[in-house]
Every structure is written in C-alpha cells, then in structure tokens.
Amino acid sequence: MGSHPESKDSLPAPVTPAGRDALEAILTRPARTVVALDFDGTLAPIVPDPDRARAHPDAVPALAALAPKVSSVAVVTGRPAGVAVRHGG
C-alpha cells in the first residue's frame, strides 16, 4: 500500500479482497472517498423509543475531524433533516 500519514496498523484488517481494495482506495485517494453512516445503531445506540435516540457524544467531533480529509461525509436516516440535526447534536 502507498504511504500515508495515518498508521495502517491501528485499522482493522479487511478479510476479503474487496475489503482490502476498498481500504486501499480510501487511504490512497481520500479526496474521492464518501463516508456514509447510518444514524440509528451506528452514530446513536438503538433505543426502544426512536424519538429519544441521540448521537454518541463523540460522533459529531469525529465526523467534523473526518470531513476535511475526505470528499463527503453523509448521515443516512429516514428522519426529516431537522430532526436528524437536532438528534445528532
């Protein structure tokens, strides 16, 4: 893999050829990378009442730090945008 400033050793090792190819593409071409994450169950824990779901406190700072390093960061949700923003913090 080409060199880049972050250590690959701290990343989970992909177990499939497709996973290895995807990680290689992300690491060597971050400006062409889109990171899309689901809100419920990924950024926020699953809770019995979906209206009470809130993003993990570290989620927004982590996404804000990631955003300038890739092409786009997207949060995928079925919620209206305003609700997602309020619940996401």
Side-chain angles (χ1 to χ4, degrees), residues 2-89:
S3 66
H4 77 80
E6 289 79 27
S7 169
K8 293 186 326 186
D9 298 331
S10 64
L11 298 173
V15 296
T16 65
R20 288 187 291 274
D21 290 348
L23 181 58
E24 172 77 14
I26 292 167
L27 295 176
T28 60
R29 296 182 303 279
R32 296 187 62 197
T33 297
V34 174
V35 176
L37 303 162
D38 188 34
F39 183 80
D40 293 298
T42 302
L43 298 176
I46 299 290
V47 294
D49 179 1
D51 288 335
R52 299 186 57 84
R54 298 296 181 269
H56 185 281
D58 294 336
V60 172
L63 295 178
L66 176 63
K69 297 177 181 181
V70 297
S71 176
S72 296
V73 173
V75 176
V76 179
T77 182
R79 302 168 193 272
V83 172
V85 169
R86 282 193 306 278
H87 288 206

